[in-house]
């Protein structure tokens, strides 16, 4: 007898890129969940491992390509975004930087997007890795939102911009958007 799957409880913060990635995965997989807003600045955060767990326990729809080479590329893109770009504009880092934090964030997002744009030349179809939504796409959308927040010029990144626009047309990406979360301040709601 198969064990019943428990309705997940997601601890998160409306603007957290990490939490947003998990919300997208839950929405794509059609998983109902409860949400507990917390201040991630004080209480810690989510990890990409949650998405891998969801993929292993609820494999449909797949967020990792079946082909091992494409799967490796998907993980490479995801890691590039979640480890190489996103942590450098976390609030704790920006507080340490102090004055000039906007320029700091812009610099590292730009540097990361330059490399990402090149990576996507070899992997992109309609989305980051081919024509199916993958874990890489879940990482891309919150990072583009961060780029917008820090006023990064997106003109040099046409592939990133095109993929982001395609993804934002999908319901899972819309319902998981930070502006639609229960802890979003009223002035930031959509």
């Amino acid at each position: 007898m198969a064990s019943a799957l428990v309705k997940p409880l997601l601890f998160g913060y409306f603007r957290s890129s990490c939490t947003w990635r998990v919300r997208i995965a839950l929405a794509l997989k059609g998983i109902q969940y409860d949400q507990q807003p917390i201040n991630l600045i004080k209480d810690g955060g989510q990890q990409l491992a949650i998405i891998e767990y969801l993929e292993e326990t609820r494999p449909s729809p797949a967020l990792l390509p079946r082909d091992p080479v494409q799967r490796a590329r998907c993980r490479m893109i995801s890691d590039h975004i979640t480890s190489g770009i996103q942590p450098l504009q976390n609030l704790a880092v920006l507080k340490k930087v102090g004055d000039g934090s906007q320029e700091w964030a812009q610099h590292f997002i730009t540097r990361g997007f330059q490399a990402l744009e090149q990576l996507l030349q070899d992997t992109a179809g309609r989305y980051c890795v081919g024509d199916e939504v993958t874990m890489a796409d879940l990482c891309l959308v919150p990072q583009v939102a961060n780029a917008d927040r820090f006023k990064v010029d997106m003109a040099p990144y046409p592939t990133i911009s095109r993929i982001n626009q395609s993804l934002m047309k999908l319901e899972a990406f819309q319902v998981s958007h930070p502006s639609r979360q229960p802890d979003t301040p009223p002035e930031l709601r959509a």
Side-chain angles (χ1 to χ4, degrees), residues 88-188:
L88 296 168
Q89 76 246 325
N90 281 346
L91 188 56
V93 172
L94 295 177
K95 282 184 177 182
K96 285 285 188 188
V97 171
D99 289 342
S101 62
Q102 174 95 6
E103 293 81 15
W104 167 277
Q106 288 173 340
H107 170 78
F108 285 105
I109 293 169
T110 298
R111 192 176 98 180
F113 274 9
Q114 288 168 347
L116 180 59
E117 184 74 16
Q118 290 301 310
L119 286 171
L120 293 173
Q121 298 308 306
D122 295 330
T123 64
R126 185 170 181 194
Y127 305 119
C128 286
V129 182
D131 294 327
E132 300 295 325
V133 174
T134 67
M135 183 170 66
D137 300 302
L138 279 59
C139 297
L140 179 74
V141 168
Q143 187 54 58
V144 172
N146 285 337
D148 290 342
R149 191 168 127 220
F150 289 108
K151 298 176 178 37
V152 171
D153 177 14
M154 293 299 292
Y157 316 111
T159 308
I160 293 171
S161 296
R162 175 186 58 76
I163 293 169
N164 185 69
Q165 289 171 359
S166 293
L167 291 164
M168 286 308 301
K169 293 177 183 173
L170 302 175
E171 182 180 1
F173 288 82
Q174 293 171 10
V175 300
S176 62
H177 193 277
S179 66
R180 296 182 65 185
Q181 302 314 303
D183 59 327
T184 303
E187 66 274 10
L188 299 177

Side-chain angles (χ1 to χ4, degrees), residues 48-65:
L48 203 54
I50 293 171
I51 296 170
E52 293 266 2
Y53 170 80
L54 290 172
E55 185 69 0
E56 290 176 13
T57 59
R58 298 177 182 166
S60 183
L63 296 176
L64 290 170

Side-chain angles (χ1 to χ4, degrees), residues 10 42 68 71 73 80 91 102 111 118 125 190:
L10 177 63
K42 296 180 197 171
R71 193 167 44 246
R73 288 177 173 165
H80 175 73
L91 188 56
Q102 174 95 6
R111 192 176 98 180
Q118 290 301 310

